[in-house]
Amino acid sequence: MAQSLSKLTRDDIVARLADLLSAGQIVTDEEQLKLASVDRFKKYQSVHGIFDGPLPAAIVNARSTEDVSKVLAFADEHRINVVARTGRTGTEGGLETAVEDTVVLDGSGLDGILSVDAENMQATVQCGVPLQVLEDRLRERGLTTGHSPQSKPLAQYGGLVSTRSIGQFSTLYGAIEDMVVGLEAVFPDGSVTRIKNVPRRAAGPDIRHIVIGNEGALCYITEVTVRIFKYQPENNEFHGFLVDDMTTGIKVIREVVTNGFKPSVVRVYSPEDARQHFAHFYKDKVVVVFVAEGPKGLVRATSEEIERVAGQYPHEKVDPALIENWFDHLNWGVDKIEAEKQVMLAKAELGYTTEVSVDWSRTVELYENVIRRIRAEFPAADDLVMLGAHSSHSYQTGTNLYFVYDYKINCEPREEIEKYHIPLNAIIVEEALKAGGSMVHHHGIGKYRAPWTTREHGSAYAILAKLKETFDPNGIMNKGTIFPMDTHA
Ligand SMILES: Cc1cc2nc3c(=O)[nH]c(=O)nc-3n(C[C@H](O)[C@H](O)[C@H](O)COP(=O)(O)OP(=O)(O)OC[C@H]3O[C@@H](n4cnc5c(N)ncnc54)[C@H](O)[C@@H]3O)c2cc1C
């Protein structure tokens, strides 16, 4: 088991935290500490009540930037590992407390919407504001965040920014890194940094990107200013097509996107993946989905292009109402997560995902290589009940592939990760890297893709390593996340 980084005892840490903040902000209840020691990566074990990793010393509920600053400065002085958390929907082990006596610094109480500026089209929120809350507030004024990850009801701004999250309407609005105007963050020495809000600047490298995507491994995000957009759902047009194969589906979306059109949604589902989303109409085919959104004239022009491009290939049209209905039920709240746990317990079955990105020219090859390798090499292939993929975010130069795999669990709950998820994830990551792509498109590296961080970045890893050495010289920020456990202090 990984040792504590600190020389202070667990009791000392708790006592000193209580001196720094008010006692009500420090949680040491064992059940809470167990739940705080994992994220969804260990979901099968944890629904069986197994928490065999190091438990944190305490959860600290921050109420202000000053609280965050005090806790980080104390942790840095005494070499105490700190795991930042907000909405707790992370999927890659980023919330896992990898060493003994970690402090989990919870920002969900920093939940103020500080301003909505409809003239300069930006909103400023504290890190604990759930995306859904800001979205609902904006909708009252005919505005939208444009950000819609499936975890929208639960995920909060600190986590959304720190994992480089992306939403379903990304082709039009971009991902979180395109939305962040400025932000406030606290570094391990307790210093508070404010990156100001400007439309653009050429004042040296874009330092927002040191903070965005840092996964709590460099600094703590306390406040974020994001772009906001006009909300015009009355103009939305939905499109669905059944085509023969992935090659055709990828050709269709590539042509629409690279011809300069920006539908908000651009998706292609392999037949296996389509079965779980569109069982009543997919007919064992590849499903292509588009949504055109925005001002009426642009929506019409975009829809005409979508129809023209799809019309070049043999296809069958799907009733747009079916696509619209599907979107209305895509997001995950607490109820769906609870239902998933019940299915896990009742059926000993689990679904997981690994998302990567790759150039257009190698997308289908990557898809085929992964499916072929898993079928041929994965020792528990007979336990797979579903293996498929979809592309859900596209760019001028390429797209993402979101591999989805469900399996029956024929082992003890604590062996599930080793037997199933780790080997499946490894094949997908390796094939993405071989194809010249990225091993992670939007969930973050967490702890479970950290073994490949150096391969992902190649010679550019030196830049990442310098950031860690500079901003977290004592290695107290989320040990094992992004950077493998044995590196950097
Ligand atoms: C059902 C489901 C659907 C999902 N769908 C999507 C999707 O469509 N698109 C997508 O991109 N992701 C998706 N995710 C992944 C997840 O929702 C995102 O990564 C989200 O951005 C995490 O936000 P959170 O507030 O829950 O962060 P948490 O889970 O609390 O934390 C995630 C990571 O961010 C760090 N962190 C948290 N707060 C801070 C902070 N204030 N400062 C610094 N670091 C911090 C944590 O240490 C951890 O490493 C999904 C997850 C689930 C469970």
Side-chain angles (χ1 to χ4, degrees):
M1 184 170 290
Q3 293 299 309
S4 171
L5 303 181
S6 177
K7 291 205 171 64
L8 292 185
T9 65
R10 202 176 172 80
D11 289 345
D12 285 341
I13 293 172
V14 173
R16 299 283 293 274
L17 285 169
D19 288 343
L20 280 180
L21 309 174
S22 69
Q25 290 175 268
I26 321 293
V27 178
T28 53
D29 167 70
E30 198 181 337
E31 283 312 302
Q32 294 298 320
L33 296 183
K34 282 181 181 170
L35 293 172
S37 69
V38 294
D39 68 16
R40 283 175 59 82
F41 196 85
K42 291 226 167 134
K43 60 189 175 183
Y44 192 67
Q45 277 190 212
S46 51
V47 297
H48 285 83
I50 299 168
F51 299 92
D52 47 12
L55 292 192
I59 302 160
V60 174
N61 291 309
R63 291 186 189 143
S64 64
T65 299
E66 199 192 343
D67 284 354
V68 172
S69 168
K70 280 197 269 189
V71 172
L72 288 188
F74 161 71
D76 199 39
E77 184 187 345
H78 297 285
R79 312 288 189 266
I80 300 163
N81 186 50
V82 176
V83 170
R85 80 174 190 195
T86 47
R88 304 170 69 178
T89 64
T91 52
E92 306 303 315
L95 294 178
E96 216 169 272
T97 50
V99 292
E100 288 291 335
D101 299 339
T102 294
V103 168
V104 173
L105 187 50
D106 188 304
S108 57
L110 287 166
D111 60 357
I113 296 178
L114 303 180
S115 67
V116 174
D117 177 349
E119 182 174 6
N120 298 305
M121 297 303 275
Q122 54 195 274
T124 300
V125 293
Q126 290 183 299
C127 63
V129 170
L131 174 54
Q132 187 74 59
V133 169
L134 179 62
E135 184 66 25
D136 291 347
R137 176 77 68 84
L138 294 177
R139 295 261 181 108
E140 289 165 8
R141 299 175 61 174
L143 299 166
T144 177
T145 59
H147 201 40
S148 189
Q150 266 183 287
S151 52
K152 178 158 78 175
L154 300 170
Q156 302 175 4
Y157 266 93
L160 290 161
V161 173
S162 89
T163 55
R164 294 181 72 89
S165 63
I166 197 165
Q168 290 136 14
F169 312 128
S170 65
T171 316
L172 180 61
Y173 299 105
I176 196 78
E177 67 270 20
D178 306 303
M179 297 166 179
V180 173
V181 185
L183 48 79
E184 181 186 85
V186 186
F187 284 87
D189 62 2
S191 60
V192 180
T193 294
R194 184 21 85 196
I195 301 180
K196 72 180 178 181
N197 301 326
V198 286
R200 184 190 187 258
R201 56 177 158 170
D206 192 338
I207 49 181
R208 288 174 300 185
H209 291 282
I210 293 172
V211 177
I212 300 170
N214 90 83
E215 298 184 46
L218 298 177
C219 61
Y220 198 104
I221 299 161
T222 43
E223 206 179 288
V224 185
T225 301
V226 285
R227 293 178 185 175
I228 55 178
F229 305 88
K230 287 207 164 147
Y231 185 56
Q232 306 165 80
E234 63 283 4
N235 297 336
N236 288 0
E237 293 186 11
F238 298 81
H239 304 268
F241 306 94
L242 308 184
V243 299
D244 289 339
D245 48 36
M246 285 297 273
T247 304
T248 310
I250 296 294
K251 271 188 187 165
V252 170
I253 63 166
R254 181 193 163 277
E255 194 170 333
V256 171
V257 170
T258 59
N259 279 353
F261 290 84
K262 288 187 179 296
S264 58
V265 178
V266 176
R267 289 181 172 232
V268 178
Y269 285 81
S270 77
E272 303 79 8
D273 197 359
R275 190 180 56 209
Q276 54 171 15
H277 290 272
F278 316 108
H280 48 302
F281 64 75
Y282 86 110
K283 298 181 182 165
D284 226 2
K285 298 251 179 175
V286 165
V287 178
V288 181
V289 172
F290 290 100
V291 182
E293 194 181 322
K296 210 169 188 49
L298 284 180
V299 168
R300 264 295 69 226
T302 305
S303 286
E304 280 167 19
E305 175 70 355
I306 290 166
E307 298 281 355
R308 185 193 71 74
V309 173
Q312 300 174 137
Y313 303 92
H315 71 273
E316 191 179 321
K317 270 194 202 174
V318 177
D319 177 356
L322 294 175
I323 303 294
E324 183 172 4
N325 180 52
W326 172 67
F327 262 106
D328 288 344
H329 299 93
L330 203 52
N331 290 341
W332 281 62
V334 175
D335 48 344
K336 262 201 196 179
I337 288 177
E338 274 310 310
E340 187 199 36
K341 284 183 189 166
Q342 295 316 317
V343 172
M344 265 185 246
L345 285 172
K347 293 173 72 179
E349 212 173 286
L350 182 62
Y352 233 115
T353 64
T354 302
E355 24 60 62
V356 299
S357 70
V358 67
D359 287 352
W360 288 117
S361 57
R362 303 193 70 178
T363 305
V364 176
E365 173 194 329
L366 173 59
Y367 165 73
E368 287 173 348
N369 285 348
V370 166
I371 305 290
R372 188 180 320 113
R373 244 189 96 183
I374 289 177
R375 296 259 179 241
E377 290 176 26
F378 176 49
D382 287 348
D383 293 335
L384 284 170
V385 288
M386 202 280 288
L387 172 64
H390 60 262
S391 153
S392 42
H393 306 280
S394 284
Y395 310 91
Q396 189 69 7
T397 60
T399 191
N400 81 314
L401 280 176
Y402 192 100
F403 288 94
V404 192
Y405 35 95
D406 292 2
Y407 41 83
K408 280 233 161 277
I409 297 159
N410 279 315
C411 62
E412 290 302 310
R414 62 160 50 83
E415 292 163 6
E416 176 267 324
I417 291 177
E418 288 288 336
K419 181 169 177 184
Y420 298 99
H421 184 86
I422 287 178
L424 288 164
N425 186 57
I427 290 175
I428 299 165
V429 163
E430 281 167 20
E431 289 301 321
L433 290 172
K434 266 195 235 162
S438 173
M439 66 161 176
V440 49
H441 176 262
H442 63 264
H443 282 164
I445 291 176
K447 298 189 174 62
Y448 290 92
R449 292 190 226 183
W452 294 278
T453 304
T454 50
R455 270 184 69 193
E456 165 74 21
H457 288 282
S459 58
Y461 180 76
I463 300 175
L464 207 57
K466 281 275 179 246
L467 290 178
K468 184 72 174 169
E469 285 157 27
T470 303
F471 293 114
D472 182 23
N474 296 321
I476 63 142
M477 298 297 284
N478 211 346
K479 191 84 184 152
T481 287
I482 299 183
F483 304 91
M485 278 293 275
D486 52 355
T487 58
H488 308 291

